[in-house]
Amino acid sequence: MANRLANETSPYLLQHKDNPVDWYPWGEEALRRARREDKPILLSVGYSSCHWCHVMERESFEDEETARIMNEHFVNIKVDREERPDIDSIYMSALQAMTRGGGWPMTVFLTPEGVPFYAGTYFPPEPRGGMPSFKQVLLTLADAYRNRREEVLRSAESVREFLRASTTAEMPRGRLREELLDGAAEALMRQLDRRFGGFGGAPKFPQPMSLEVLLRHHRRTGDREALAGVELTLRSMARGGIYDQLGGGFHRYAVDGRWLVPHFEKMLYDNALLSRLYLEAYQATGDGFYRRIAEETLDYVARDMRGPEGGFYSAEDADSEGEEGKFYVWTPRELREALGSEDASLAAAYWGVTERGNFEGRNVLHVPREPEEVAREVGLSPGELGRRVREIRRRLLEARGRRVRPGRDEKVLAAWNGLMLRSFAFTARVLRREDYLRIACENAAFLLGRLLSPEGRLLRSYRDGRARIAGYLEDYAMVADGLVSLYEATFETRWLREAISLADAMDELFWDESAGAFFDAPAGGEELVTRPRDVYDNATPSGTSVAVDVLLRLALLLGREDYRRRAEAALEGLSGLLEQMPAAFGRLLGALDFHLGRPREVAIVGRPDAPDTRALVDALYSVYLPNRVIAGGPGGEDASLVPLLEGRGMVDGRATAYVCEGYVCKSPTTEPGELLRQLREG
């Protein structure tokens, strides 16, 4: 018989609906029962594409004896960390404080008031490698709560005080100055792996925001070494197994230091951030390799991660048929069966496939050698090799499509969709892909139609026709950011008006004047142990970072001094941490670069679909110019909303570009070449 999770929409929670564990979703019903029966709470947090979450479910949560102990001694709550980042953030802070480590599955034991007193991650079903079994942990903590209550409550109170202090303590402050940006770039270059790219060793994560800091540093200073570090990393990743060589898109991370063997899950946010970064590298260098990777990544998202209503799904699992990576790996025999001997031999030479394999006797496809070397070896010209590889890739992708696919988490999260909306809108203009622009417009319409209440309040999660959970700071900020990018790509003011509405709601719900800071959860919302505030850019940018960035851009577009002051106050509040830990603030450093720099204000006046307008837009998007805002349209009523358009018209009846910087404007131009010259000056 299914438990209470059967009524949820989260695929992760639904995966546990048939467990013998008496699971509750997070909510008042579970907390009330814990208080009424004076039972501790077992909180289990994970997400649908988490490999070890699946392992712990099979070993423990599906086991009748383990479930009996859990049900007898605890009130058991299961949380999807992607739906409830507030719960995840609070209890992950507690886990890290108690164990100096973290990760998922996260297993936390709470008092009936929700205060943690013990925490861990994965626990095995039997004692292993110095770890106690999960049943031992359960029985020990149940006994402690029953017979050593004062000790448990003292531990809980100390954790409560730590959590409160971590979100309310005043942060160190410094001065907002360009040296912060230079220092961040220098620190990142010291951490750069000079052989394989990326930062640090195994496991190795892409860290696109840190790479963007280096790309911006190159743009600002001309530092060739910083650009070389970015290029080394982007090429190594795209040729490694972390990149899906057949289907496009990036896996979560590599388990080794050279990007070869991935942890095979694919996350929407990684592909949103990386596709944009590769496009910016293409703008900065003109190298078509980066363009190809960006396109293949977004083509993957459009093909495999987009729902019929226009929303983007959250993730694909690492596992299929109970095995990690089974969907993605190949043997020489499988290549021959799919391609025939001759093409299989070419595929094996190009993607490094051997009888021995590189992953549990099978092969993760990667590109270990330069294509020119392979071409010489097989007696083909580089052009002919490329043509053959593209055709082989198509056939292998078709053959792979007949395999059992990994599970897909089909919930739509507002924040992650905002990230992907931004990338599709930007890429549509850089690559002149009208299909991408259509996808972006449909996504924006979906978010505003399905996840926005009549009162203008954003909801977090959507699946199967149901939108739920009040939005967090990151939801408002990232959707607003995506809408600003869509306005810049279309010149349709409806998207800009919606972004303004979300920015105003963001200020009302999440800004705390006394703290001079944004919080992640709205004021007056559900009462938790503490009001969460995570300012660090991790796998995704923090809500604070994106809020600051979008407010600065809107301030320049709209002439909104109140937006600029709010963003500057948030930056000043984090200035000390920016100096101490630059690697933890990639997106915020981008916002600081915008704030300290002399952003270009570009207005293009003309009919959006006219060829002369398009020619100016194409010229504008051909340049890597991270610090800029764009306004456009035929003028008229748009000028009342966007001061950049005020008093500006077409010259001689032709689409006209106006470029301003630091309160100084250049001569209006109707020529794409002259616009390029103006953009490249300075």
Side-chain angles (χ1 to χ4, degrees):
M1 181 178 175
N3 56 46
R4 293 169 183 81
L5 301 184
N7 298 318
E8 296 298 301
T9 59
S10 159
Y12 176 66
L13 298 186
L14 289 170
Q15 286 167 6
H16 295 77
K17 67 181 176 61
D18 295 316
N19 295 167
V21 177
D22 185 15
W23 289 117
Y24 286 80
W26 181 275
E28 186 53 37
E29 182 184 5
L31 300 173
R32 188 166 51 243
R33 180 186 164 192
R35 291 191 293 268
R36 184 177 67 248
E37 298 182 9
D38 191 24
K39 277 187 173 180
I41 293 166
L42 190 164
L43 173 66
S44 175
V45 182
Y47 56 103
S48 71
S49 57
C50 164
H51 172 71
W52 286 101
C53 298
H54 297 317
V55 172
M56 192 165 176
E57 180 191 13
R58 287 195 299 269
E59 293 175 343
S60 294
F61 302 148
E62 292 179 355
D63 178 69
E64 295 285 348
E65 176 60 17
T66 304
R68 184 193 64 75
I69 297 171
M70 292 171 68
N71 295 338
E72 180 179 343
H73 297 289
F74 301 91
V75 173
N76 304 292
I77 298 178
K78 176 63 76 172
V79 165
D80 180 343
R81 67 173 293 260
E82 296 168 353
E83 275 198 337
R84 293 299 304 261
D86 54 341
I87 301 293
D88 181 63
S89 174
I90 290 169
Y91 293 109
M92 182 59 70
S93 293
L95 169 64
Q96 291 169 337
M98 287 189 247
T99 68
R100 300 188 181 276
W104 300 273
M106 177 166 57
T107 310
V108 190
F109 295 85
L110 320 176
T111 68
E113 289 72 39
V115 185
F117 62 87
Y118 188 84
T121 53
Y122 165 81
F123 291 102
E126 304 296 336
R128 183 190 308 160
M131 297 174 65
S133 73
F134 189 46
K135 289 192 284 286
Q136 287 175 326
V137 171
L138 293 171
L139 291 171
T140 299
L141 293 174
D143 177 74
Y145 189 80
R146 187 170 54 250
N147 297 315
R148 301 193 303 279
R149 181 72 59 90
E150 286 189 12
E151 180 183 331
V152 167
L153 294 180
R154 278 198 305 273
S155 173
E157 190 56 33
S158 67
V159 176
R160 186 205 294 267
E161 289 307 310
F162 166 81
L163 292 173
R164 284 179 174 168
S166 66
T167 57
T168 59
E170 185 159 340
M171 302 200 178
R173 288 178 178 248
R175 284 178 49 243
L176 298 176
R177 61 197 195 284
E178 198 167 286
E179 287 79 5
L180 282 175
L181 301 172
D182 295 333
E186 289 167 9
L188 289 170
M189 288 302 292
R190 286 195 296 272
Q191 298 169 30
L192 184 74
D193 179 342
R194 304 293 174 131
R195 185 177 179 191
F196 298 112
F199 305 97
K204 188 174 276 186
F205 290 80
Q207 300 192 43
M209 288 171 280
S210 292
L211 292 168
E212 190 171 349
V213 169
L214 294 181
L215 196 59
R216 282 173 168 270
H217 178 71
H218 165 70
R219 173 71 178 78
R220 193 177 70 255
T221 67
D223 185 342
R224 300 293 302 175
E225 191 179 0
L227 178 62
V230 173
E231 290 204 74
L232 170 65
T233 304
L234 295 186
R235 284 191 169 275
S236 298
M237 287 196 302
R239 291 174 56 171
I242 192 174
Y243 183 67
D244 181 354
Q245 300 292 331
L246 299 183
F250 288 86
H251 298 291
R252 181 70 194 93
Y253 62 88
V255 300
D256 52 73
R258 56 195 181 110
W259 308 111
L260 174 59
V261 177
H263 186 51
F264 290 91
E265 63 187 334
K266 283 182 173 179
M267 310 302 296
L268 184 71
Y269 55 77
D270 285 321
N271 288 288
L273 295 169
L274 286 165
S275 57
R276 183 178 172 101
L277 176 63
Y278 274 84
L279 247 293
E280 290 180 326
Y282 168 63
Q283 287 181 310
T285 66
D287 190 330
F289 176 82
Y290 304 123
R291 169 183 178 147
R292 175 173 70 82
I293 300 303
E295 268 187 299
E296 288 175 0
T297 299
L298 291 184
D299 287 346
Y300 151 70
V301 172
R303 182 185 67 240
D304 293 341
M305 296 292 283
R306 184 169 176 259
E309 296 178 273
F312 298 116
Y313 299 140
S314 294
E316 288 191 296
D317 285 1
D319 301 7
S320 56
E321 301 182 82
E323 293 183 32
E324 184 179 4
K326 184 175 182 180
F327 181 73
Y328 297 100
V329 295
W330 295 82
T331 63
R333 178 180 176 181
E334 288 170 331
L335 290 183
R336 290 191 295 271
E337 290 171 349
L339 300 171
S341 296
E342 183 180 345
D343 282 348
S345 178
L346 179 57
Y350 187 80
W351 283 304
V353 175
T354 65
E355 291 291 346
R356 182 180 179 183
N358 54 35
F359 176 72
E360 299 176 357
R362 306 180 84 185
N363 292 270
V364 178
L365 301 188
H366 66 302
V367 183
R369 296 184 291 165
E370 294 295 334
E372 292 78 9
E373 181 185 341
V374 178
R376 283 195 302 271
E377 180 182 291
V378 299
L380 296 173
S381 70
E384 178 62 13
L385 175 69
R387 188 193 67 76
R388 290 274 299 276
V389 166
R390 285 192 294 274
E391 175 59 20
I392 288 171
R393 183 176 183 258
R394 182 193 64 77
R395 291 166 61 196
L396 287 178
L397 185 62
E398 186 177 290
R400 195 178 78 176
R402 294 190 286 272
R403 296 177 175 179
V404 176
R405 292 192 66 90
R408 184 170 63 187
D409 187 332
E410 295 187 354
K411 70 175 179 292
V412 176
L413 296 176
W416 298 5
N417 271 246
L419 291 175
M420 190 56 80
L421 169 59
R422 177 177 181 248
S423 187
F424 265 104
F426 174 68
T427 308
R429 278 294 168 245
V430 176
L431 301 186
R432 308 175 197 178
R433 290 279 302 257
E434 291 302 313
D435 56 333
Y436 285 178
L437 194 61
R438 174 182 53 78
I439 288 170
C441 290
E442 289 177 1
N443 179 251
F446 166 82
L447 291 172
L448 297 172
R450 294 290 194 175
L451 279 89
L452 196 65
S453 73
E455 297 76 35
R457 295 299 187 250
L458 199 57
L459 296 170
R460 168 78 174 173
S461 180
Y462 176 91
R463 186 171 182 268
D464 290 343
R466 292 170 60 193
R468 56 196 303 272
I469 305 173
Y472 300 98
L473 174 62
E474 68 174 20
D475 296 301
Y476 282 80
M478 292 176 192
V479 173
D481 194 34
L483 290 170
V484 171
S485 290
L486 187 56
Y487 163 71
E488 292 183 327
T490 62
F491 300 155
E492 294 181 28
T493 54
R494 59 174 171 151
W495 307 125
L496 185 57
R497 292 182 190 279
E498 295 289 359
I500 295 166
S501 176
L502 291 176
D504 290 339
M506 192 167 69
D507 183 69
E508 176 188 343
L509 295 170
F510 303 102
W511 180 257
D512 186 296
E513 192 64 45
S514 61
F518 286 107
F519 281 79
D520 294 333
E526 180 183 359
E527 188 172 341
L528 301 172
V529 177
T530 188
R531 189 180 179 193
R533 182 189 174 208
D534 184 358
V535 298
Y536 301 107
D537 295 326
N538 295 302
T540 59
S542 74
T544 291
S545 293
V546 181
V548 169
D549 198 5
V550 75
L551 286 175
L552 288 171
R553 292 174 187 277
L554 285 173
L556 198 57
L557 264 176
L558 307 172
R560 289 282 299 265
E561 185 62 17
D562 57 328
Y563 285 173
R564 189 199 62 77
R565 284 197 302 268
R566 180 73 76 238
E568 188 172 32
L571 272 172
E572 287 174 344
L574 294 170
S575 55
L577 288 179
L578 274 172
E579 194 163 1
Q580 293 173 11
M581 296 181 289
F585 291 98
R587 182 66 185 271
L588 194 65
L589 286 164
L592 179 62
D593 185 32
F594 185 95
H595 177 63
L596 295 179
R598 293 158 59 92
R600 308 290 175 85
E601 305 162 43
V602 185
I604 296 180
V605 181
R607 290 182 293 108
D609 293 328
D612 55 351
T613 305
R614 289 290 185 88
L616 292 173
V617 170
D618 290 344
L620 170 57
Y621 275 90
S622 70
V623 181
Y624 175 56
L625 202 65
N627 293 340
R628 55 97 178 115
V629 294
I630 304 169
E637 63 179 281
D638 292 351
S640 63
L641 178 66
V642 187
L644 284 182
L645 298 174
E646 192 173 355
R648 289 172 169 165
M650 295 192 289
V651 174
D652 298 330
R654 298 173 62 192
T656 305
Y658 297 80
V659 178
C660 300
E661 178 184 354
Y663 309 105
V664 176
C665 295
K666 302 178 187 294
S667 299
T669 182
T670 60
E671 296 299 328
E674 172 60 17
L675 173 59
L676 272 175
R677 189 191 67 77
Q678 293 183 7
L679 294 173
R680 286 172 174 157
E681 280 184 349

